[in-house]
Amino acid sequence: MRRLTRTVAAAAMAAALALVAGCSGDSDSSDDASGGGGSLEKVTYLTSFGNFGRDAYAWVAKDKGFFKEAGFDVDIKPGQGTGAVIQTIVGGQADFGPIDLTGGLLQLGNGQAKDFVAVAAIQQRTMAAIATLEGKKIASPKDLEGKKLADTPGSVVRNLFPTYARMAGIDASKVTWVNGEAQTLIGTLAAGQVDGIGQFVVGQPTIEGVAKGKKAVMLPYSNVMQDLYGNVLITSAKIAKEKPEMVKKFTAALMKGLEYSLANPQEAADILKKNVDATNPASAAAELQLMAGYVRSSNSGTALGTLDSGRVAKSIAILQGAGTLKQNITPEQIIDFSLTPKA
């Protein structure tokens, strides 16, 4: 009887193990099919500047499963502008994030940062701008003289301002800058504490949403500097060298999120709201609609993320001509063209 009991128990145990193995096999197959190959690789991603509609595509890539399909478990954190994003990634606290390419050129060419590389373009034209409100008597770049502007210290808008000022005929010494934080800049402007803020052009609907009843006035840098790229995706030089295939997979997943967001701005805004409660979905969707015109160019064709060495060289020449680069640099020093999407 004992022998029979042991035999039945052994058979039950074998069946249970077989069932577990079968379930595990199904799970592994699912992971393999999704590109995960088992456990997901943890990645920390920084947004460019806070959690606004312009950065919703990262949340979309996570929510729609694009990151997971590529084998990644992504933690998305709010960035604080170009300089801070570079420092955090080079310091190893994050793996990927967008910066303004011109801001990156200034950081690299002036010895303020190194050991990072761009691997894809987010926008084919710079979206940097000065934002103000009607009633501030600012209708042209020259009107900024005698005014007080706010931005984060590492923001590309602020760091690029001397170049913009020279090309737009502004006496930069007559403009006062004060420090601000990404999430509070718009409130600072709406409260009348400053005359203008550094902002991307797509921030217009968000500004008008906060400054109820007041119309935003934008002074885009692209009006005087037309060859400059906007945001680019960066990683550390170490990751790019040691994990090139991982970089390509992550970039492709993020580009899927970007493309989906531009095609479905309201859904993307709702996804952002689900993850960031302070989101105004209407403003976020409007930001994405405005951004669509900056994501593709005649050079990029239909492909997202492409970077052209000739255009980057022109950007460097603009900065050198304005006297804002201390060192001579080449496109290859800031972009790993072996990793960028192809047109």
Side-chain angles (χ1 to χ4, degrees), residues 30-106:
S30 174
D31 281 342
D32 288 340
S34 69
S39 60
L40 301 174
E41 182 171 3
K42 293 189 179 297
V43 166
T44 299
Y45 175 90
L46 298 177
T47 67
S48 64
F49 196 72
N51 284 311
F52 298 104
R54 71 204 72 163
D55 277 300
Y57 56 89
W59 292 106
V60 169
K62 182 172 183 175
D63 188 87
K64 304 300 288 187
F66 302 150
F67 285 144
K68 188 174 182 180
E69 289 168 6
F72 301 109
D73 176 12
V74 180
D75 182 19
I76 303 172
K77 296 182 178 180
Q80 287 286 329
T82 292
V85 170
I86 292 174
Q87 288 177 6
T88 306
I89 289 175
V90 171
Q93 290 83 44
D95 304 293
F96 294 94
I99 66 164
D100 187 278
L101 179 58
T102 307
L105 290 169
L106 289 170

Side-chain angles (χ1 to χ4, degrees), residues 34 37 40 49 82 93 115 133 140 150 164 180 197 202 238 255 266 278 282-283 309 316:
S34 69
L40 301 174
F49 196 72
T82 292
Q93 290 83 44
D115 298 329
L133 295 169
S140 69
Y164 171 71
I197 58 174
V202 295
K238 184 177 187 293
M255 292 299 107
Q266 190 58 60
S283 296
S309 178
I316 294 171

Side-chain angles (χ1 to χ4, degrees), residues 141-154:
K142 191 70 174 174
D143 296 332
L144 293 172
E145 294 180 2
K147 300 297 193 295
K148 182 165 70 172
L149 308 178
D151 205 347
T152 59

Side-chain angles (χ1 to χ4, degrees), residues 29 40 85 92 101 134 163 188 190 199 236 253 282 285 301 312 339:
S29 296
L40 301 174
V85 170
L101 179 58
E134 276 189 339
T163 304
T188 301
Q199 189 62 230
S236 68
V312 178
L339 300 177

Side-chain angles (χ1 to χ4, degrees), residues 117-274:
V117 291
V119 295
I122 306 298
Q123 295 113 21
Q124 294 287 324
R125 289 188 295 137
T126 182
M127 299 198 305
I130 301 295
T132 183
L133 295 169
E134 276 189 339
K136 294 290 186 180
K137 298 182 180 179
I138 300 175
S140 69
K142 191 70 174 174
D143 296 332
L144 293 172
E145 294 180 2
K147 300 297 193 295
K148 182 165 70 172
L149 308 178
D151 205 347
T152 59
S155 164
V156 65
V157 177
R158 187 167 176 174
N159 289 331
L160 189 54
F161 185 77
T163 304
Y164 171 71
R166 285 189 185 92
M167 299 182 72
I170 305 167
D171 184 345
S173 68
K174 295 181 179 180
V175 180
T176 301
W177 284 93
V178 297
N179 293 338
E181 294 188 2
Q183 300 287 37
T184 59
L185 276 177
I186 294 176
T188 301
L189 175 64
Q193 297 174 22
V194 294
D195 300 302
I197 58 174
Q199 189 62 230
F200 281 174
V201 292
V202 295
Q204 181 173 348
T206 301
I207 292 169
E208 292 175 347
V210 175
K212 296 177 173 38
K214 296 181 181 178
K215 186 176 180 181
V217 177
M218 310 299 291
L219 300 178
Y221 282 14
S222 61
N223 285 352
V224 296
M225 296 182 287
Q226 299 176 358
D227 285 316
L228 304 185
Y229 278 93
N231 277 356
V232 294
L233 177 67
I234 69 162
T235 188
S236 68
K238 184 177 187 293
I239 290 176
K241 181 180 179 180
E242 296 178 357
K243 299 182 176 182
E245 293 307 312
M246 174 266 209
V247 172
K248 289 180 182 178
K249 287 180 180 179
F250 181 87
T251 300
L254 187 68
M255 292 299 107
K256 284 180 70 174
L258 177 60
E259 187 163 36
Y260 191 95
S261 299
L262 297 179
N264 305 277
Q266 190 58 60
E267 183 183 353
D270 291 339
I271 289 172
L272 181 62
K273 173 65 175 177
K274 184 170 70 174

